[in-house]
Amino acid sequence: MSGVPRITPFQWADYFETGFGEVDAQHHKLVDLVNALAQRAATGSEIKPAELSHVLDGLGSYALHHFTAEEALMARTGLDERHLRSHRQSHADFVAQVAEMRHSTDPARAVPMLHRFVSSWLTFHILDTDQSMARQLRAVAAGSTPAEAFEAAAGYSSDPGNTALITAVHNLLGLVAERNSELARINVRLEQRVTERTAELTAANQTLRHTLASLQETRDRLLEADKLAAVGQLAAGVAHEINTPLGYVASNLGTLREYAERLLALVDTADRLAAGGRNADAWAAARDGTDLDFMREDLPTLVAESNRGLGQVSDIVHALQDFASAGPAETRQVAPAQMLNEAIQATASTRQPGQEVVRSYASLPDMAVNPTLLGEAFKALLDNAGKALGSDPGTIAVRARRQDGSLVVEVEDDGCGMDEATRGRIFEPFFTTRPVGQGRGLGLSSAYRIVSRHGGRLEVSSTPGKGSCFRVVLPLVPPG
């Protein structure tokens, strides 16, 4: 880890040496291992399983060669059996502890565990037991008996200051390793908490985005509903104001027709009375001056055209009244498939030859609606789909399914489609793309209003040249 100074608590010195080359060479390697573990412990970094296995294999190799060499050396020299027993037991303990460490499963504690073990062995075996062995080997070589050498070594006292200092360094490094392990565990917990909190914030942000999108959609629908409500109030007022003079005109037109017929009959009578009389010529001149024959021929045509015009105005007034209606005042349980089939049949005459309606209904429950109004909405959608096909052959797909507690009805055509500007105004009252006199622009706006009054929504998707799809979404359970 960068920034951590090099730590070497044990420097090889003469007090490590026993005077026996093979033994000291193995001790030197162990000192290097203790320093490497001290550096690793100071950094707080964990040891990987493969690294741990490699270190333990090295300690096993150390035990195999070093302990065999030491015990052979002591046996050849003939050291006192009391020393041999304790020395061999310490070797056996070392081998057993190395085997036990192979089962460690806590990476955070592996380095401190290894460091304590090896530095303890260095401090209390190599600097004590092995030094005692070396003194006995030298004493026997100088002529002492094994028992005399053992007794002399037992009475030998090492420098207590060195022992205390080595023990303090060992304890200090152990404490550093413990603190680093704790910091590593804290860091792991902190990273976990940060990860969890980040996930929570991400989920909260997603929920917030969905909520904002839902609020925006609701706002748009409320604005559309307010706009339609305002238009509905205007339509109701206009229809009321037009309806009264329209009645006067229709009534008066009938009376005028009756008066005209009486006047023409009176003219016929005058023709008969004047014929052959002394005023016959004057009457004939006056009659010809009024172009009475043309008036007689043209009058029925004028009255008929006026009646057709009044009929069209009356249709518009009724459409305005329907648009301004309060909604489905009376509802009853109706099968959706039945409503759709009736709407398809009612609009059959408006479709051109080669225009096919394809139905696809899932299993649908009955629902409480105003079938008259909702049927008018479906007829408006089917009529619009037929008009989108024009005079060309094409397909109108009518699909109905149950989805998330709602009835979803789609009316899709493969006609001319709409651009973005047209799609944005398609539900506006009196907006139409048809030629003047061929559409009032109230069909889709009325359908939108009827669906909204049933607690649903009407959506549209369209691509120029590829067709349009109108989607009605109605709650299967009416809103309270």
Side-chain angles (χ1 to χ4, degrees):
M1 180 180 294
S2 62
V4 178
R6 181 70 182 171
I7 297 177
T8 53
F10 294 103
Q11 298 286 342
W12 182 262
D14 55 0
Y15 53 77
F16 283 107
E17 296 179 359
T18 63
F20 299 92
E22 186 177 359
V23 173
D24 288 340
Q26 293 292 332
H27 287 176
H28 204 305
K29 293 179 180 179
L30 196 62
V31 169
D32 292 340
L33 175 60
V34 173
N35 288 332
L37 289 172
Q39 181 70 24
R40 192 67 172 267
T43 65
S45 58
E46 296 180 358
I47 189 170
K48 297 179 180 178
E51 293 179 285
L52 176 61
S53 178
H54 178 71
V55 171
L56 294 176
D57 288 345
L59 291 176
S61 178
Y62 164 82
L64 176 64
H65 295 90
H66 181 60
F67 296 168
T68 300
E70 278 190 352
E71 292 176 14
L73 180 60
M74 290 186 292
R76 284 197 309 269
T77 305
L79 291 189
D80 189 279
E81 186 63 29
R82 288 171 291 178
H83 179 80
L84 282 174
R85 282 198 303 271
S86 62
H87 205 136
R88 287 170 180 161
Q89 184 60 49
S90 64
H91 288 173
D93 291 343
F94 182 94
V95 172
Q97 290 181 60
V98 169
E100 184 178 348
M101 282 188 291
R102 289 188 181 275
H103 303 293
S104 174
T105 57
D106 186 356
R109 301 188 62 82
V111 171
M113 175 184 66
L114 270 172
H115 177 260
R116 279 199 195 90
F117 171 68
V118 181
S119 60
S120 294
W121 180 260
L122 177 66
T123 305
F124 300 109
H125 182 81
I126 294 176
L127 293 177
D128 185 8
T129 305
D130 282 359
Q131 291 296 334
S132 175
M133 174 197 71
R135 285 191 292 271
Q136 294 180 62
L137 289 172
R138 287 193 292 269
V140 170
S144 299
T145 65
E148 291 173 342
F150 176 77
E151 295 295 338
Y156 179 81
S157 177
S158 61
D159 184 352
N162 287 340
T163 302
L165 182 59
I166 292 173
T167 302
V169 171
H170 166 68
N171 292 335
L172 178 61
L173 289 173
L175 181 61
V176 170
E178 281 292 338
R179 293 295 179 268
N180 283 333
S181 297
E182 181 63 24
L183 285 174
R185 287 191 291 271
I186 291 173
N187 285 334
V188 170
R189 290 196 298 269
L190 182 59
E191 289 176 359
Q192 290 175 345
R193 182 55 183 160
V194 169
T195 301
E196 293 171 359
R197 186 56 179 162
T198 300
E200 291 173 0
L201 289 174
T202 301
N205 285 336
Q206 291 177 346
T207 301
L208 182 59
R209 282 195 293 269
H210 292 159
T211 302
L212 289 175
S214 178
L215 288 174
Q216 182 62 41
E217 180 182 356
T218 302
R219 177 181 176 274
D220 293 342
R221 290 168 61 185
L222 287 175
L223 289 174
E224 187 68 28
D226 288 343
K227 181 171 65 176
L228 289 176
V231 173
Q233 291 176 352
L234 176 62
V238 171
H240 176 73
E241 294 299 327
I242 292 178
N243 209 30
T244 300
L246 185 65
Y248 294 154
V249 173
S251 176
N252 292 342
L253 189 60
T255 302
L256 289 173
R257 179 177 181 176
E258 181 182 350
Y259 289 170
E261 289 174 350
R262 291 181 184 179
L263 289 174
L264 290 174
L266 182 60
V267 170
D268 292 340
T269 301
D271 285 342
R272 290 193 301 271
L273 292 175
R278 59 188 180 89
N279 295 320
D281 293 339
W283 169 252
R287 188 179 184 280
D288 291 340
T290 60
D291 203 4
L292 188 61
D293 292 336
F294 176 77
M295 292 173 58
R296 185 191 297 275
E297 181 182 347
D298 194 41
L299 186 60
T301 302
L302 293 177
V303 172
E305 288 179 351
S306 298
N307 281 326
R308 283 197 298 272
L310 285 175
Q312 291 176 353
V313 173
S314 179
D315 289 343
I316 294 175
V317 170
H318 288 134
L320 288 173
Q321 289 174 332
D322 291 340
F323 181 81
S325 65
E330 296 181 2
T331 61
R332 59 184 174 89
Q333 293 291 326
V334 180
Q338 178 183 347
M339 277 191 299
L340 291 170
N341 289 334
E342 290 175 353
I344 292 171
Q345 183 177 358
T347 56
S349 61
T350 65
R351 290 186 286 276
Q352 301 298 318
Q355 295 179 356
E356 180 186 10
V357 176
V358 179
R359 313 175 203 208
S360 176
Y361 305 155
S363 178
L364 302 170
D366 292 354
M367 55 191 306
V369 297
N370 185 309
T372 301
L373 290 177
L374 199 54
E376 289 298 320
F378 290 142
K379 284 191 284 186
L381 296 180
L382 287 162
D383 178 69
N384 183 78
K387 294 297 189 296
L389 295 176
S391 58
D392 299 327
T395 301
I396 300 174
V398 180
R399 297 182 289 268
R401 65 183 184 275
R402 185 174 185 169
Q403 179 177 314
D404 300 331
S406 297
L407 169 69
V408 178
V409 176
E410 293 177 336
V411 179
E412 185 173 11
D413 65 76
D414 54 5
C416 60
M418 295 177 285
D419 57 24
E420 184 68 28
T422 302
R423 191 164 59 250
R425 302 188 59 191
I426 196 69
F427 297 123
E428 291 182 9
F430 307 108
F431 175 79
T432 180
T433 58
R434 300 177 192 172
V436 177
Q438 297 186 19
R440 299 188 298 270
L442 288 172
L444 291 178
S445 58
S446 294
Y448 188 99
R449 189 172 175 84
I450 290 169
V451 171
S452 298
R453 289 299 178 91
H454 279 80
R457 63 182 188 274
L458 176 57
E459 305 166 343
V460 61
S461 58
S462 183
T463 302
K466 295 185 178 180
S468 303
C469 180
F470 286 83
R471 185 176 298 103
V472 176
V473 182
L474 291 168
L476 289 174
V477 178

